[in-house]
Amino acid sequence: MSSEIIRIHNKLKSKEISCTEFVKGKLKELEESTSNSANFLLTESALKRAQAVDEKIANGAEIGLLEGIPFGIKDVFLLQGEFASAASDFLKSYISPYTATAIQKLIDAGAIPIVKENCDSFGHGSSSENTVFGPVKNALNEKLVAGGSSGGSAVNVAKGYTLFSVGGDTGGSIRQPAGYNKVYGMKPTYGRISRYGLMAYASSTDCVGPISNSVEDISTLLNVMSGKDYHDQTSLVSSPISENIFKRKNEAPKYKIGYYKNFLDSEAIDPKIKADFLKLIDQLKLNNIEVIELDFYDSGILVSTYYTIAMAETASNLARLDGTNYGNRLTAESLKESYSLTRSENFTDETKRRIIGGNQVLSQGHSEEIYLKARAIREKIEQSFIDEFQEVDIIISPVSPTPPPKIGDNLNDPLAMYLSDAYTVGFSLGGLPTLSAPFGTETGIQITAEKMGEEKILEFVIYLRDEIYG
Ligand code: GLN
């Protein structure tokens, strides 16, 4: 599919549709949907914004590309004056005091937020079942999970309820649900988009990114959201993605492609996903693209390293939620008991599992053995990416080893759920840009480049879309 944003922009400009009617239609679709993808509709503010766009058009003024375009926001971002629940009981009635930088940039460009989207609570999960708003249902088959944690965001885009959505990706949360619902999802280079106003899960890998129906829109949205932000010391200056990548059709990009053989040798991989991926490798070779086999860390090591670090960071980040400053508060006999009651009653089981795990790996006597070891392995992983990108330009892999499970199937088996992140978490530890594209295997293809290599990724995915799967 080509740009949905451009298609709607042209209709608004030519007055074929009114922005108010269009936004109303999307809100209605969300309201009537049975997908559980929406936590809060932003009806009042959205209609006010839409009316302003209509007035501008009626007055003959030019509108920018994003003006009047309705979008969704994963419910872990702050939008001033609106709920930000993190899909938890803790923050179910918490109202944002300010707006996240990435969201503000979209609003400044005229885009209209219409929904806060369901997700795994605090980003903890891979299925969007860890939520107090009910499990999100897959856009293609309601019996299956939507993936996670940005499940509501991927479903809304796939269903066409939003033209795009903004997700958060710590270890795969944009890429995996995008793959499960057959849309595009990009986790940019760590720091390319400011994290200010995104509730912190694992601060050292948290990224903000777009989910959409086309590569063109991913590129537009990246350009709008990127940039250095003095509110986030890890944010970076970046150059915009060039329009030229959309003009060079028919030519095979002169990239060297790598893939991890051990990802495919793993026992956990679904045979059909493996076969389809290998077919892609053969097709690339037939098209005279150089493809190199690489060896990487075993997925067990990647998953344990990621979860050790992610749990340690989330235990620290969520320590601020004790009922004093934010969200719900339950009182008991003493202050300590009040903290304990508040936290026990308001976090989900999965979040509690991670807080306990995180505090355990950070505790005296264990931190050297576990946490510091994970940090050391992470450094080695980062180094091995640097080495590999001396040899290849792009690394491709399936997005996940298995197709989406049925809702409820993995709920009592957290380990099975953690393993579904086997192919995504490594790139998060490396801070690399990586995109999941909705073709190639049942859950898509993941395309990764070195830091700040977003343009290469997008150029290559256009080639795949038009020349291989076109
Ligand atoms: N599924 C992974 C986890 O639970 C990734 C989640 C995310 O990226 N927020 O940690």
Side-chain angles (χ1 to χ4, degrees), residues 123-126 149 169-173 201 306-307 354 421:
H124 296 159
S126 316
S149 61
D169 187 312
T170 304
S173 276
Y201 165 12
Y306 166 78
Y307 274 98
R354 292 174 187 220
D421 300 325

Side-chain angles (χ1 to χ4, degrees), residues 189-202:
T189 306
Y190 178 78
R192 185 178 184 113
I193 299 180
S194 166
R195 292 180 287 119
Y196 181 66
L198 162 68
M199 288 183 205
Y201 165 12

